[in-house]
Amino acid sequence: MSPDVRLHVSWLSRMVLLFSCLSHAFYIPGVSIRSYRDEENVPLLVNKVYSDKSQLQYAYFDLPFVCPPTGNRHHGSSFASGHSVPLNLGEVLRGDRIKTSDLEINMGQDIDCQYLCDRVVGRKELEWAQQLIEEEYVTEWILDNLPGATSFVTVDRTRKYYASGFKMGYKDFDMATGKEMYYVYNHHTLVVRWRPAPGRAGENGGKVIVGFEVYPKSIQAGHRNETGCPLDVSGEQEPLPLYIPGNHTNLMEQYADSSYIPESPIDMEDGATMTIPYTYSVYFFEEGAVEWSNRWDLYFNDQAESSFTHWLAIVNSLIISGILGAICIVIWGRTMQGDVKGRGDGILEEARLKIGKREKKKSSSGLLEKISDTGPDDDLSSDDEPLEEITGWKLLHGEVFRPPPYGGLLAPLIGSGIQLVFVIVGLLGLSCAGILNPSWRGGFWSVGAGLFVFAGGFSGYFSARVYKTFGGQNWRKNTMMTALLFPGLLFTLVFVLNLFCWAQASSTALPFSTLLWLACLWLLIQLPLVHLGSYWGFYRSSSWEHPTKTNAIPRQIPAQAWYMKQQVTLALGAGLVAFAVLFIELIFVFKSLYLDKSSYYYVFGFLSIISALLSITIAETVIIATYIQLCAENYHWWWQSFFVGGASGFWIFVYSVWYYATRLHIDGFVSSLLFFSYSALACAVYSLATGTIGFLTAYMFVRRIYGSVKVD
């Protein structure tokens, strides 16, 4: 089999593997299956509340208007209520605070109504509850690793799908008072869907949970029986408003003869309270149509109709990449054709002689000029075209590999970029393989942090080799910059933002112990790995050899065209092309991250294809930009290739600002600060990775074209 055929077969097999990930990109069937026998206790865990209108999350038991844990232990349960479930690093980073609850659920036992508690709240607690309802906060409970879901049906009523979590209450207009009133959901109907367990466990009566739905309801405090439950749970009930009347006794005495009593500011410390009774119901239903391995599918069905848009994004990316690829083929053909003509015949030296003769011709006159015109050595008119080629990028053979200014900064950035590329490729690969999926809560962040620390060795190695290629000698300084520059800025930003989250008593804030743990991972594990990689790259590996030698005296750069004078504008224009490749898929990512947090982004197969096409597009864009720059006899391409590769990150941040202004409804200074800070951080990470791809592409391109030119 020829090499070309093997190459096509290899790419075809990779594409088939990638497309096969589309249907299994989020779950590995048969992992960690748990079966329950009848009357066996099924622990219900409470986690947090979150909102699409805020970046702040709160632990459920930190809310002052919900039932606090009693510390009682259910029959058959290993832990008392309020016990903190051990969390992995990713769960802590995403703000999870999972604890056991007082809700008692036993497999197969229906409960029409069970009293939970009476929560007495004051005006301050009531105001906070109203604020959370106003911002549409959603509660997350967990049963058998499934988040409690709100059930929806499509418009044509053919499919049911889930949205993770359920609302805490609602706001409505009160016709009696003419004001907006807030109502809290104080009764929760839990629907647990099950099916017989597969294999021997099912033969022994085991059952597995394939669905967990929560239907909240607001029921007034009156009309209850001796157990504290409403007289009619399933019927229509008056809702429970979050309202404490103001104390108008003094005003009534002051305006005793008036039919109108003006309102006065409410005293938040007047000691007035209201009681919120909490109850719940549990019902079990057999669900034979859903397999345990597919029980997460209902959380994704609302996104099934978006497959066409994902394919449209791929077609859009292929068109852009194809056009740029055609331009690169033309460039490659021109450079290689010129190199074949010039190989082995001293064409560069001949060009210098021709340029000298042309200058003599311009300075001569009269008879000498005529003699020169008819001389045997005058072949300039017939060689104008080769001369134009030689006076372009080929004249930079002695300058093109001159070390860039601030190379000691560029090398650590390239090292950090390699580290981030390794992390991104690893996360996409593991997600496509199904290892990283929603059932592994916090797995994406945990594995990402582990890959980042482990990739410190690659970061140090490539940074040291680039630094050595630039002629650097102080490799320890380069090592410390690589290990501390980007991770240090990242840790500092997280720490500063954490202070704002701490001030808001939000679970988004990382505990101090977690910050210490992250610092230990950074300084005790990653830093030694960076040092080891740097030592290996600097002493055990040689610097990259260049095909041409660098002149001792820098060559003067001629006057540049108008479009080459503004290098920043050129880089941003090139970045806009890469942004066009990513734009459509970016809509779904932003929707999942900010606009609809109850949904899961799971189409990692599509994302992997778009990422591959994005990398190809960036490489093509950098080749075109570098070729144009070299043809203008500008040999400062090192930094320019890095900026062109990462420029699309600027447009992603611009899109984030537009998204914030037009699509989101985020209120509050801290939430806005978190949004813009983390958006800028994500764009910086993206730009580092894509800038590194651009730098390496430009370096390989320059080495290839100048390696084919023989200089006499």
Side-chain angles (χ1 to χ4, degrees):
M1 185 180 293
S2 66
D4 291 340
V5 174
R6 287 198 299 268
L7 181 61
H8 282 84
V9 171
S10 175
W11 273 104
L12 181 61
S13 62
R14 293 176 186 177
M15 293 300 293
V16 170
L17 177 62
L18 202 55
F19 281 115
S20 66
C21 296
L22 296 179
S23 59
H24 302 284
F26 51 87
Y27 203 69
I28 295 181
V31 176
S32 302
I33 187 170
R34 171 70 189 277
S35 62
Y36 300 89
R37 293 180 176 272
D38 286 337
E39 300 184 4
E40 182 179 354
N41 180 260
V42 183
L44 187 142
L45 309 176
V46 297
N47 188 5
K48 61 185 178 182
V49 295
Y50 57 91
S51 171
D52 297 335
K53 297 183 178 181
S54 175
Q55 299 299 306
L56 297 174
Q57 306 173 108
Y58 300 97
Y60 182 78
F61 277 146
D62 288 346
L63 303 179
F65 52 88
V66 302
C67 290
T70 61
N72 297 329
R73 181 176 299 179
H74 300 306
H75 176 70
S77 176
S78 303
F79 304 102
S81 65
H83 173 77
S84 295
V85 176
L87 305 176
N88 58 47
L89 178 60
E91 289 175 313
V92 178
L93 292 178
R94 65 195 295 265
D96 289 348
R97 302 294 184 267
I98 304 176
K99 295 184 178 181
T100 56
S101 72
D102 282 298
L103 280 74
E104 186 170 3
I105 301 176
N106 298 318
M107 175 59 73
Q109 291 186 351
D110 292 345
I111 301 176
D112 291 331
C113 181
Q114 177 65 47
Y115 170 78
L116 195 59
C117 80
D118 282 337
R119 182 68 169 180
V120 179
V121 296
R123 294 190 185 275
K124 287 187 176 180
E125 293 81 5
L126 206 65
E127 184 180 25
W128 193 11
Q130 292 173 349
Q131 179 182 352
L132 295 182
I133 294 175
E134 173 71 27
E135 296 179 357
E136 299 180 0
Y137 268 79
V138 173
T139 305
E140 182 178 300
W141 290 355
I142 303 170
L143 186 73
D144 193 42
N145 204 32
L146 282 177
T150 302
S151 179
F152 295 94
V153 179
T154 56
V155 178
D156 56 2
R157 297 185 176 275
T158 58
R159 290 185 295 107
K160 182 176 74 171
Y161 63 92
Y162 287 162
S164 177
F166 55 93
K167 291 187 176 182
M168 305 186 65
Y170 67 97
K171 181 176 66 173
D172 199 3
F173 187 79
D174 188 2
M175 299 297 295
T177 61
K179 298 180 181 179
E180 287 185 338
M181 297 292 291
Y182 297 89
Y183 301 91
V184 64
Y185 289 134
N186 59 334
H187 179 83
H188 300 88
T189 300
L190 312 180
V191 175
V192 182
R193 302 190 180 275
W194 61 273
R195 65 169 293 128
R200 184 173 299 178
E203 297 174 358
N204 296 330
K207 300 176 181 179
V208 293
I209 297 175
V210 296
F212 176 39
E213 304 167 8
V214 181
Y215 298 90
K217 187 176 183 179
S218 180
I219 302 178
Q220 63 179 350
H223 301 91
R224 295 177 178 263
N225 57 27
E226 62 278 2
T227 63
C229 287
L231 297 178
D232 185 10
V233 176
S234 59
E236 292 292 334
Q237 298 282 347
E238 288 292 328
L240 178 64
L242 292 175
Y243 176 71
I244 300 178
N247 189 352
H248 300 298
T249 304
N250 296 332
L251 291 176
M252 293 177 64
E253 294 177 355
Q254 183 178 355
Y255 298 93
D257 299 332
S258 175
S259 60
Y260 171 74
I261 300 177
E263 294 186 2
S264 63
I266 297 177
D267 183 10
M268 303 298 292
E269 304 293 341
D270 62 356
T273 61
M274 72 168 291
T275 301
I276 305 177
Y278 283 94
T279 54
Y280 67 95
S281 303
V282 182
Y283 297 99
F284 287 85
F285 294 97
E286 184 175 2
E287 184 67 59
V290 179
E291 296 287 344
W292 186 90
S293 59
N294 299 324
R295 62 179 186 166
W296 281 88
D297 289 1
L298 291 174
Y299 293 89
F300 310 135
N301 277 346
D302 64 320
Q303 303 179 22
E305 298 178 356
S306 63
S307 296
F308 175 78
T309 309
H310 289 290
W311 286 112
L312 183 64
I314 293 177
V315 173
N316 169 71
S317 304
L318 285 173
I319 293 175
I320 296 176
S321 179
I323 294 174
L324 295 177
I327 298 175
C328 289
I329 291 175
V330 173
I331 292 175
W332 193 262
R334 284 177 57 86
T335 56
M336 292 299 101
Q337 183 181 7
D339 295 338
V340 171
K341 291 181 180 179
R343 178 177 289 274
D345 58 359
I347 190 169
L348 293 178
E349 187 64 28
E350 182 181 349
R352 296 190 185 96
L353 295 176
K354 291 179 180 180
I355 293 173
K357 292 178 182 180
R358 173 168 289 183
E359 292 176 351
K360 291 180 181 180
K361 176 182 177 181
K362 292 180 180 179
S363 61
S364 61
S365 60
L367 181 61
L368 293 177
E369 182 177 356
K370 294 180 181 180
I371 295 174
S372 177
D373 289 341
T374 59
D377 294 334
D378 187 11
D379 56 352
L380 293 176
S381 60
S382 62
D383 291 336
D384 283 343
E385 184 176 354
L387 182 59
E388 291 177 359
E389 292 181 0
I390 296 167
T391 56
W393 60 271
K394 290 184 181 179
L395 290 181
L396 299 181
H397 66 91
E399 308 292 340
V400 71
F401 293 107
R402 184 177 300 280
Y406 305 105
L409 175 61
L410 181 58
L413 292 179
I414 297 301
S416 297
I418 290 291
Q419 186 177 12
L420 293 173
V421 169
F422 179 85
V423 173
I424 294 172
V425 172
L427 289 177
L428 288 178
L430 293 175
S431 298
C432 282
I435 298 175
L436 299 180
N437 54 77
S439 66
W440 183 6
R441 203 178 310 275
F444 195 88
W445 289 103
S446 297
V447 173
L451 290 176
F452 184 81
V453 172
F454 174 76
F458 297 99
S459 173
Y461 175 80
F462 281 95
S463 175
R465 292 206 67 179
V466 173
Y467 181 73
K468 188 175 182 180
T469 302
F470 290 162
Q473 300 297 326
N474 192 351
W475 72 277
R476 287 187 174 86
K477 176 183 177 181
N478 177 72
T479 300
M480 296 306 295
M481 286 193 64
T482 304
L484 301 179
L485 180 60
F486 175 73
L489 293 176
L490 176 63
F491 186 84
T492 302
L493 177 62
V494 171
F495 180 79
V496 172
L497 294 178
N498 218 48
L499 297 178
F500 289 93
C501 296
W502 271 337
Q504 298 293 322
S506 170
S507 66
T508 308
L510 300 179
F512 185 72
S513 58
T514 303
L515 290 176
L516 289 179
W517 174 245
L518 292 175
C520 291
L521 286 177
W522 170 30
L523 299 176
L524 301 182
I525 300 180
Q526 186 197 6
L527 195 150
L529 287 176
V530 173
H531 191 277
L532 180 62
S534 295
Y535 175 81
W536 193 273
F538 195 85
Y539 283 108
R540 296 299 184 91
S541 303
S542 61
S543 60
W544 289 322
E545 297 294 335
H546 299 148
T548 60
K549 295 182 179 180
T550 303
N551 297 332
I553 301 176
R555 186 176 186 272
Q556 184 177 1
I557 299 176
Q560 301 291 293
W562 62 270
Y563 55 86
M564 293 295 298
K565 292 181 180 179
Q566 300 295 332
Q567 296 292 323
V568 176
T569 305
L570 180 63
L572 292 179
L576 194 59
V577 178
F579 176 75
V581 172
L582 190 63
F583 171 70
I584 298 179
E585 195 65 28
L586 204 62
I587 296 175
F588 295 95
V589 176
F590 271 64
K591 178 183 176 182
S592 179
L593 288 177
Y594 300 118
L595 195 60
D596 188 7
K597 296 179 181 178
S598 297
S599 64
Y600 294 94
Y601 183 86
Y602 69 99
V603 284
F604 290 103
F606 284 117
L607 184 61
S608 299
I609 296 176
I610 294 296
S611 299
L613 293 175
L614 175 67
S615 301
I616 295 173
T617 302
I618 290 174
E620 294 168 342
T621 305
V622 169
I623 289 175
I624 296 172
T626 303
Y627 179 75
I628 294 175
Q629 186 174 5
L630 294 178
C631 287
E633 301 183 26
N634 185 349
Y635 51 86
H636 294 155
W637 60 271
W638 301 92
W639 279 103
Q640 184 67 9
S641 63
F642 182 80
F643 289 143
V644 169
S648 53
F650 170 80
W651 296 110
I652 295 178
F653 184 75
V654 171
Y655 178 75
S656 302
V657 176
W658 175 86
Y659 204 85
Y660 174 87
T662 61
R663 303 296 300 276
L664 301 181
H665 304 282
I666 296 178
D667 298 323
F669 170 75
V670 176
S671 291
S672 300
L673 177 65
L674 291 175
F675 174 83
F676 286 111
S677 298
Y678 285 127
S679 296
L681 177 61
C683 293
V685 169
Y686 169 88
S687 295
L688 265 180
T690 54
T692 300
I693 294 175
F695 173 86
L696 296 178
T697 301
Y699 184 68
M700 289 187 290
F701 172 71
V702 172
R703 278 177 57 93
R704 179 65 182 88
I705 63 175
Y706 283 94
S708 301
V709 177
K710 183 175 181 180
V711 181
D712 293 339

